[in-house]
Amino acid sequence: MEHWNSTLGSGFILMGILKGSESPELLCAIITILYMLALTSNGLLLLVITMDTRLHVPMYLLLGQLSLMDLLFTSVVTPKALVDFLRSENTISFGGCALQMFLALTLGGAEDLLLAFMAYDRYVAICHPLNYMVLMSTRVCWLMVATSWILASLSAFAYTMYTMHYPFCKARMIRHLLCEIPPLLKLACADTSRYELMVYVMGVTFLMPPLVAILVSYTLILFTVLHMPSNEGRQKALVTCSSHLTVVGMFYGAATFMYILPSSLHSPKQDNIISVFYTIVTPALNPLIYSLRNKEVMGALRRVMGKYMLRTHPTF
């Protein structure tokens, strides 16, 4: 098969979930609503955490970073998918594809590490409350945030550069919502078996240690919670941890499907559904999962809204 020139002037065609849907207009409307929900809920949560000084603690600093990652992640993919559908234009340049892949991998990898750090934060808060401000100082917290971003961006840069160096064939249709490694490798006119094995091994290496850390943290938390004398304290700890575990389950389920399951078990339709789930649905649900059952966040939201109403309507 002939190669096509993979330069900055060349491009791909993204054949996402909207293109092959039986009711594309309805699906487009649903995705638009979910995207607006993700923007609103994550933006509002970030605003509340930034403006309310009572939430300037490690737990909410990490939660704010999670909202920022979700906000950016869905914005890397969703607006282009919607605009392409409305314009009936599904092309993406070679450089644009590389940039989208780099950003998606960076944000996904950073969230992977951040969820592990959030589990450690809950472990320290519940199992070692007297040492919490020492083990989870502001400096330690920002070090966790910086580590998540830096390691994820370095990993994403290496993956993107290596994936995009392959020669691609004339059939340049990517049967996926966004530029990701598995669907792009299917277009390569070279043997990618070794690289696919490396992606699998690195995927396991990058995903499994944080997941193991999360499971160990919550196992220890569960033992501690079960021995708490206070029913109120036990309930508060379980509510906080159940929210985190829900987010962890959604994130790692999708990531495992895309990067750990063998390519023989993948189909374009399944991959598209999973990609919609972790790039659009999950970012819209995460802030709702964390905030609706959290009395501190809801109280902070009421205080921030109250201050806004007093500034705009002083007579109230």
Side-chain angles (χ1 to χ4, degrees), residues 151-182:
L151 289 182
S153 60
L154 290 175
S155 172
F157 182 77
Y159 272 129
T160 302
M161 292 298 291
Y162 201 86
T163 302
M164 301 307 285
H165 96 283
Y166 280 107
F168 297 102
C169 301
K170 274 192 172 181
R172 54 197 180 103
M173 289 190 295
I174 302 174
R175 300 189 179 278
H176 201 55
L177 182 66
L178 69 153
C179 288
E180 277 196 290
I181 296 172

Side-chain angles (χ1 to χ4, degrees), residues 46-197:
L46 272 171
L47 178 68
V48 168
I49 291 171
T50 303
M51 293 187 65
D52 195 293
T53 55
R54 298 184 196 184
L55 299 186
H56 291 179
V57 294
M59 173 183 171
Y60 293 108
L61 192 153
L62 296 175
L63 180 57
Q65 287 294 310
L66 180 67
S67 285
L68 178 62
M69 290 171 186
D70 281 337
L71 191 63
L72 295 174
F73 199 177
T74 191
S75 296
V76 165
V77 178
T78 314
K80 175 165 177 54
L82 294 173
V83 170
D84 284 353
F85 173 73
L86 295 174
R87 294 174 54 194
S88 299
E89 179 75 31
N90 295 81
T91 59
I92 184 170
S93 67
F94 183 86
C97 186
L99 178 61
Q100 189 182 61
M101 180 188 296
F102 170 74
L103 292 174
L105 287 172
T106 296
L107 293 162
E111 188 165 331
D112 168 42
L113 296 172
L114 187 72
L115 288 172
F117 289 136
M118 290 175 74
Y120 174 75
D121 170 72
R122 290 299 83 207
Y123 161 73
V124 174
I126 294 171
C127 300
H128 302 283
L130 298 179
N131 297 321
Y132 182 71
M133 295 313 297
V134 176
L135 297 174
M136 283 300 298
S137 64
T138 303
R139 182 181 177 182
V140 170
C141 196
W142 281 113
L143 182 62
M144 289 177 171
V145 171
T147 300
S148 298
W149 284 104
I150 292 170
L151 289 182
S153 60
L154 290 175
S155 172
F157 182 77
Y159 272 129
T160 302
M161 292 298 291
Y162 201 86
T163 302
M164 301 307 285
H165 96 283
Y166 280 107
F168 297 102
C169 301
K170 274 192 172 181
R172 54 197 180 103
M173 289 190 295
I174 302 174
R175 300 189 179 278
H176 201 55
L177 182 66
L178 69 153
C179 288
E180 277 196 290
I181 296 172
L184 261 175
L185 290 181
K186 293 177 181 178
L187 304 183
C189 293
D191 182 13
T192 62
S193 56
R194 288 186 179 180
Y195 181 54
E196 287 183 50
L197 179 61

Side-chain angles (χ1 to χ4, degrees), residues 23-63:
S23 305
E25 292 82 8
L26 176 61
L27 188 56
C28 181
I30 293 172
I31 289 175
T32 302
I33 292 169
L34 286 172
Y35 179 60
M36 295 307 296
L37 178 62
L39 288 182
T40 305
S41 56
N42 283 293
L44 197 57
L45 189 55
L46 272 171
L47 178 68
V48 168
I49 291 171
T50 303
M51 293 187 65
D52 195 293
T53 55
R54 298 184 196 184
L55 299 186
H56 291 179
V57 294
M59 173 183 171
Y60 293 108
L61 192 153
L62 296 175
L63 180 57

Side-chain angles (χ1 to χ4, degrees), residues 300-313 316:
L301 177 60
R302 284 191 290 271
R303 288 191 294 271
V304 170
M305 295 303 293
K307 289 179 182 179
Y308 175 77
M309 292 299 293
L310 283 174
R311 287 177 184 176
T312 54
H313 303 282
F316 278 12

